[in-house]
Amino acid sequence: PSTITHDFISQIEELAPFGTGFERPSFLFSPPYVQEVRILKESHLAFVSEGVKFICFNYLEKFTHTFNEIPSYHVTGKLSLNEYKGTKTPQVMIERFIDKSAVKIV
């Protein structure tokens, strides 16, 4: 997550337009720790790892474990820039949680 920058996301955006047959790329992350865990509107999960915000809409459909177990999972997601009060920050829109004990990434 620490390598996600505005420039990297801008380079991905230069590949647009995305759509059927040319999907926006997904990336695999292995968050070593989580901080600032929040539940938004009772159904969305947000946390920070290595300075990057991760957000998962309707997280109960994708992750049914406790929040301190998140580092036991790989996360796949798409990169975007979140704009809030005029400030843009990188974020990962989580698509899936993958149990690290079931899948080893080499």
Side-chain angles (χ1 to χ4, degrees), residues 15 37 58 64 77 85:
L15 300 173
V37 177
N58 302 311
T64 57
K85 293 185 178 182

Side-chain angles (χ1 to χ4, degrees), residues 28 72-76 96-103 105:
L28 177 74
S72 300
Y73 289 80
H74 299 294
V75 173
T76 63
R96 178 176 296 137
F97 290 88
I98 304 166
D99 188 340
K100 286 182 180 177
S101 67
V103 176
I105 306 299

Side-chain angles (χ1 to χ4, degrees), residues 23-50:
E23 301 293 325
R24 180 178 300 276
S26 292
F27 295 87
L28 177 74
F29 301 95
S30 297
Y33 61 86
V34 297
Q35 58 191 123
E36 300 178 35
V37 177
R38 295 184 301 149
I39 303 300
L40 311 170
K41 298 185 180 183
E42 298 182 19
S43 62
H44 311 307
L45 169 68
F47 64 87
V48 174
S49 182
E50 296 187 87

Side-chain angles (χ1 to χ4, degrees), residues 57-106:
F57 293 104
N58 302 311
Y59 82 95
L60 287 175
E61 297 171 11
K62 300 172 186 172
F63 190 74
T64 57
H65 304 280
T66 63
F67 302 135
N68 58 351
E69 292 180 279
I70 292 172
S72 300
Y73 289 80
H74 299 294
V75 173
T76 63
K78 298 184 184 320
L79 305 180
S80 66
L81 288 175
N82 179 39
E83 185 168 355
Y84 181 71
K85 293 185 178 182
T87 302
K88 292 183 180 181
T89 55
Q91 70 179 8
V92 176
M93 307 295 288
I94 297 173
E95 299 171 305
R96 178 176 296 137
F97 290 88
I98 304 166
D99 188 340
K100 286 182 180 177
S101 67
V103 176
K104 183 175 180 172
I105 306 299
V106 290

Side-chain angles (χ1 to χ4, degrees), residues 5-18 22 24-25 27 78-82 88 91 93:
T5 64
H6 289 256
D7 289 338
F8 184 64
I9 294 172
S10 295
Q11 290 174 12
I12 292 170
E13 291 301 321
E14 289 177 16
L15 300 173
F18 300 108
F22 190 63
R24 180 178 300 276
F27 295 87
K78 298 184 184 320
L79 305 180
S80 66
L81 288 175
N82 179 39
K88 292 183 180 181
Q91 70 179 8
M93 307 295 288

